[in-house]
Amino acid sequence: MIFAGDSAHVVSPFGGPGGNGGLQDVDALGWRQAAVIKGQASAALLAAYDRERCFGADENLLNSSRSTRFMSPAAGAERLFRDAVLALTARADFARPMVNSGRLSRPCIYPVGGPDDPALPADSRPGAVAPDAPLADSWLSKA
Ligand SMILES: Cc1cc2nc3c(=O)[nH]c(=O)nc-3n(C[C@H](O)[C@H](O)[C@H](O)COP(=O)(O)OP(=O)(O)OC[C@H]3O[C@@H](n4cnc5c(N)ncnc54)[C@H](O)[C@@H]3O)c2cc1C
């Protein structure tokens, strides 16, 4: 049985990219299923879908849980810190990324051999936005 989208993971709607995660699931699953059906790969390829998207779902759940707790903190220290950050944002630039960290709009960058794999820098791993690069008379992003 293979699950994708909300049937595999339900993310808090408070900033949680559940729909985006579902699309990434079917993207990661579709090409693998096509390769297996066409006989170009063995069914073992589907196991990588599980590893890849469990990693992506865990990341979404972590980020959306943090974002939900920021919006509705527990009473006590959590609310105290949240309110202090909100008060600071009006006058201190360094506090603004604490409100909008950008995590929810960053792509999921997959570990290659495991979360601490040093083999590839983060910006050239699967899932990362390709870094810009110079061409003969232009830049990759402008081509
Ligand atoms: C308030 C709110 C805000 C959100 N905001 C965002 C956002 O900003 N960004 C984002 O990325 N995500 C957001 N999400 C999450 C996103 O909407 C879901 O993650 C996404 O719609 C899930 O898509 P899905 O196809 O997996 O499941 P669903 O959209 O739930 O589709 C499942 C379908 O299967 C049908 N179905 C169920 N049982 C059966 C059956 N037995 N037989 C046939 N059909 C069946 C259902 O009727 C439904 O049409 C938000 C969610 C909520 C609730």
Side-chain angles (χ1 to χ4, degrees), residues 45-105:
L45 185 66
L46 297 175
Y49 162 75
D50 187 55
R51 283 198 304 278
E52 195 170 293
R53 294 311 305 152
C54 282
F55 177 84
D58 285 345
E59 191 174 271
N60 272 352
L61 288 166
L62 178 70
N63 290 339
S64 67
S65 303
R66 283 176 173 159
S67 150
T68 302
R69 288 177 69 183
F70 190 82
M71 283 186 247
S72 51
E78 203 167 291
R79 176 172 288 274
L80 194 72
F81 281 122
R82 196 285 304 265
D83 291 350
V85 166
L86 286 179
L88 266 176
T89 52
R91 51 181 197 276
D93 286 349
F94 79 86
R96 289 185 191 135
M98 294 182 199
V99 177
N100 181 9
S101 66
R103 277 192 215 108
L104 294 170
S105 48

